Amino acid sequence: MICLTLAVGWGFAAYVRCYFPNNSKIILDTWLVCNLLLYDIWKHMLRFLSLYRNRVIQRMKLNTANGNSFAFICEDINDLEHSAQRNLPRVSVIMPLKGFGEHNLQNWRTQITSLYGGPLEFLFVVESAEDPAYHAVSSLILEFQDSVDAKIVIAGLSTTCSQKIHNQLVGVERMHKDSKYVLFLDDDIRLHPGSIGALTAEMEKNPEIFIQTGYPLDLPSGSLGSYCIYEYHMPCSMGFATGGKTFFLWGGCMMMHAQDFRKDLYGVVSGLQDGGYSDDMTLAAIAGQHNRLIWSPPVAVFPHPLASDLSFPRYWNYLRKQTFVLESYISKVNWLMNRALFATHCYLSWGFVWPYAMALIHLAAFVRAPFSGSTYSEAFSSSCGLSLASCLLISTVIELLSMWNLTKLEIQLCNLLSPEGPTVSLGSYNWGLVFLAMLVDNFLYPISAIRSRFSQSINWSGVRYHLEKGKISKIERSMANGPSYSDLAWKRLYGKRQIHRSTSFISYLSRKYCPLAPTKEV
């Protein structure tokens, strides 16, 4: 896309110099036309992805019409025969947890009530028994103890990598020795009943797959911050909707060969453990370095409900964590790719926003024309700015329609894949806020990226990580001064704080040297 944009931009610059007068205004209008090209590219890519999703939906409807009532689980109903199910490989699902929020319990229910017919275990990994998620998961496991193989693993504090990566690696150490595949899931997505089976089937069909991934469909809660997150993820969804090979990887859903972790193939364990900050960026870099396959099946799209009270400051903190990812790397090539992505994203983000400001200037000049002794016709004919602003308006409407169409099809697909789950509706989306979020998010991204570039530290769920040469060099934990809730899901990160100003010295000593017995792991 970058090469095509440059080629067309240079061609237009040559056209301008040949057919238009030498005027500084032409340079500004060239920016506008270049961004019209970006709109056009995005429009056609979204249209292609919509057609692809539509084929998947039509195939599911056709299978249902032909008598397969379980088309949301598998395409061939014969795959549900006992002879086929008993040969399915063992899968270990590892879920690193931190805190407890609004949608967690519902999300966990969808994850453990999978209709996968093979051996399956769920490992909920928490930092300590004092994590609010510990007690919530304990109750959930007790509820399903007769039908689900699930347990809680206490990982302890991380010292050389992010807490999430530490929890994932501890879960890998505790997984069943016969597990063939390991699936990492975030706690903020709703899994479909047939998702684990679909991912496993792709791994069995193509052993060359190194990592299999999916992507979330954000469900905005109504605030501007939630729409900014939806808009931030929407362009990235194009890279995951290929229906196969991709270069993108999302840490919220990653299935890999368990043996790769046992053998530390390509340094997947050491690469994550040695100063790793982002699980998906690190594994994507390893896959790219060794030319390994990342796969994204068309049905791997998961509803991602956002917190109902997601404020704008919390969105900003989330954006800071996303841009901070570009500061972590594991190799020189990875560093160069991150720097190229940093520069490209910053240019395209601000290049996306400024044409709207320029279009407003053209419109203001047109409205002001009668007050300066000119007529509207003279003002319109003397400048091509209004024509370009009109094209910008048309392309914006087309883009929003394309986003609406793609979101509609993904919602329809999610509803088909989870027929008994909560119905997702397109009617809750406010497309005026979507447009506003596009401007806000693209304006703030370079600011956040530049700040991350110079700060080299970030607070993630109450833990401050410091980077040095792309790897975590220092970890600071301050429960007293840190936030009590996470930014995105507004999850309660800690239980009741143990020490208060009103606490007596004797009760403090009794808690310190005679602690309560820890809660038994399930």
Side-chain angles (χ1 to χ4, degrees):
M1 186 178 69
I2 296 173
C3 292
L4 180 62
T5 303
L6 289 174
V8 176
W10 288 331
F12 179 80
Y15 177 80
V16 166
R17 292 185 181 182
C18 290
Y19 293 97
F20 285 88
N22 185 15
N23 192 312
S24 60
K25 179 184 70 62
I26 297 298
I27 299 177
L28 297 179
D29 290 339
T30 303
W31 278 71
L32 185 58
V33 172
C34 289
N35 283 275
L36 290 178
L37 172 66
L38 294 179
Y39 273 120
D40 193 55
I41 294 172
W42 194 10
K43 174 191 69 176
H44 288 295
M45 291 185 71
L46 286 176
R47 183 171 179 267
F48 167 77
L49 298 178
S50 298
L51 291 174
Y52 190 87
R53 294 289 192 195
N54 196 37
R55 288 199 296 269
V56 176
I57 294 172
Q58 294 302 323
R59 187 166 64 244
M60 289 183 62
K61 290 183 176 180
L62 180 62
N63 289 335
T64 303
N66 291 335
N68 182 5
S69 302
F70 298 96
F72 64 97
I73 301 177
C74 58
E75 292 187 12
D76 188 357
I77 196 171
N78 294 321
D79 292 338
L80 298 178
E81 294 287 345
H82 176 69
S83 57
Q85 294 284 299
R86 67 182 181 184
N87 295 323
L88 291 175
R90 176 179 286 274
V91 178
S92 293
V93 183
I94 298 176
M95 290 162 282
L97 307 181
K98 177 70 172 180
F100 181 68
E102 177 182 355
H103 301 289
N104 283 142
L105 194 58
Q106 184 180 13
N107 295 338
W108 294 337
R109 287 180 183 274
T110 65
Q111 292 169 357
I112 67 174
T113 54
S114 171
L115 295 182
Y116 180 66
L120 185 64
E121 69 169 346
F122 296 90
L123 302 177
F124 294 88
V125 189
V126 296
E127 176 184 301
S128 69
E130 296 178 357
D131 193 307
Y134 181 90
H135 302 287
V137 171
S138 299
S139 300
L140 182 66
I141 292 177
L142 288 175
E143 181 182 346
F144 291 91
Q145 61 180 343
D146 296 329
S147 57
V148 175
D149 179 12
K151 59 183 178 181
I152 301 178
V153 176
I154 297 180
L157 299 178
S158 63
T159 57
T160 62
C161 58
S162 68
Q163 188 65 46
K164 178 184 178 182
I165 291 179
H166 177 70
N167 288 9
Q168 290 172 325
L169 294 180
V170 171
V172 167
E173 293 176 357
R174 303 288 183 86
M175 68 181 176
H176 197 281
K177 62 182 180 62
D178 295 329
S179 291
K180 186 175 182 180
Y181 302 112
V182 54
L183 174 62
F184 299 103
L185 290 178
D186 279 355
D187 62 355
D188 55 358
I189 64 166
R190 296 177 186 169
L191 207 64
H192 305 297
S195 293
I196 297 178
L199 294 172
T200 305
E202 291 288 342
M203 298 289 282
E204 291 286 283
K205 189 187 306 180
N206 187 0
E208 295 298 319
I209 296 176
F210 181 56
I211 310 175
Q212 198 170 186
T213 188
Y215 205 68
L217 171 62
D218 291 321
L219 306 178
S221 58
S223 65
L224 178 60
S226 65
Y227 279 101
C228 285
I229 293 174
Y230 163 76
E231 189 280 330
Y232 175 81
H233 287 154
M234 198 62 184
C236 301
S237 67
M238 294 185 289
F240 291 86
T242 59
K245 184 178 180 181
T246 181
F247 299 100
F248 293 81
L249 182 61
W250 175 52
C253 175
M254 300 186 300
M255 176 173 277
M256 301 180 64
H257 295 268
Q259 201 65 13
D260 292 348
F261 284 92
R262 297 188 181 105
K263 296 182 177 180
D264 193 16
L265 185 66
Y266 306 123
V268 291
V269 175
S270 55
L272 290 169
Q273 202 168 40
D274 183 21
Y277 169 76
S278 171
D279 53 342
D280 47 13
M281 291 291 284
T282 301
L283 291 174
I286 293 175
Q289 182 179 355
H290 298 278
N291 198 25
R292 294 305 307 270
L293 181 61
I294 301 177
W295 195 265
S296 179
V299 295
V301 53
F302 310 104
H304 178 214
L306 299 175
S308 58
D309 56 349
L310 203 158
S311 62
F312 192 80
R314 284 160 53 193
Y315 150 72
W316 168 252
N317 292 336
Y318 172 78
L319 183 63
R320 284 272 292 113
K321 289 196 286 286
Q322 296 303 304
T323 55
F324 189 76
V325 168
L326 296 179
E327 301 306 315
S328 64
Y329 54 89
I330 62 172
S331 65
K332 185 66 175 180
V333 175
N334 188 205
W335 178 84
L336 290 173
M337 292 181 63
N338 284 358
R339 296 279 65 80
L341 184 60
F342 171 90
T344 303
H345 204 156
C346 288
Y347 170 78
L348 293 179
S349 292
W350 272 354
F352 178 89
V353 174
W354 291 124
Y356 288 97
M358 292 165 3
L360 288 177
I361 293 175
H362 281 298
L363 182 61
F366 178 74
V367 173
R368 182 178 176 272
F371 302 98
S372 59
S374 302
T375 62
Y376 284 123
S377 58
E378 291 175 347
F380 185 83
S381 60
S382 63
S383 171
C384 63
L386 280 178
S387 300
L388 293 174
S390 301
C391 293
L392 179 61
L393 175 62
I394 295 172
S395 61
T396 302
V397 173
I398 293 174
E399 180 200 14
L400 289 173
L401 288 174
S402 299
M403 292 179 65
W404 172 85
N405 188 44
L406 178 59
T407 305
K408 181 191 69 172
L409 291 176
E410 290 187 338
I411 285 177
Q412 187 178 358
L413 179 60
C414 287
N415 288 333
L416 287 174
L417 292 171
S418 296
E420 296 184 359
T423 302
V424 182
S425 173
L426 185 64
S428 60
Y429 285 73
N430 185 325
W431 294 97
L433 281 178
V434 170
F435 172 70
L436 181 59
M438 288 164 51
L439 298 179
V440 172
D441 183 67
N442 283 285
F443 177 75
L444 291 178
Y445 182 91
I447 299 175
S448 175
I450 294 172
R451 181 177 177 183
S452 298
R453 181 75 184 95
F454 290 101
S455 67
Q456 293 295 298
S457 68
I458 192 70
N459 190 305
W460 183 9
S461 296
V463 182
R464 180 162 292 278
Y465 300 100
H466 297 264
L467 293 185
E468 184 176 343
K469 296 181 179 180
K471 296 183 178 181
I472 292 178
S473 60
K474 182 180 179 181
I475 302 176
E476 295 179 343
R477 292 179 172 86
S478 179
M479 192 173 76
N481 299 324
S484 300
Y485 293 87
S486 64
D487 297 320
L488 187 58
W490 202 238
K491 296 186 293 184
R492 185 162 53 90
L493 300 178
Y494 309 105
K496 294 183 178 179
R497 301 184 188 271
Q498 291 189 349
I499 303 174
H500 301 274
R501 293 183 178 179
S502 60
T503 303
S504 66
F505 182 69
I506 295 177
S507 61
Y508 164 69
L509 291 178
S510 65
R511 273 197 298 269
K512 183 175 181 180
Y513 295 103
C514 302
L516 295 175
T519 305
K520 183 179 180 181
E521 294 185 30
V522 180

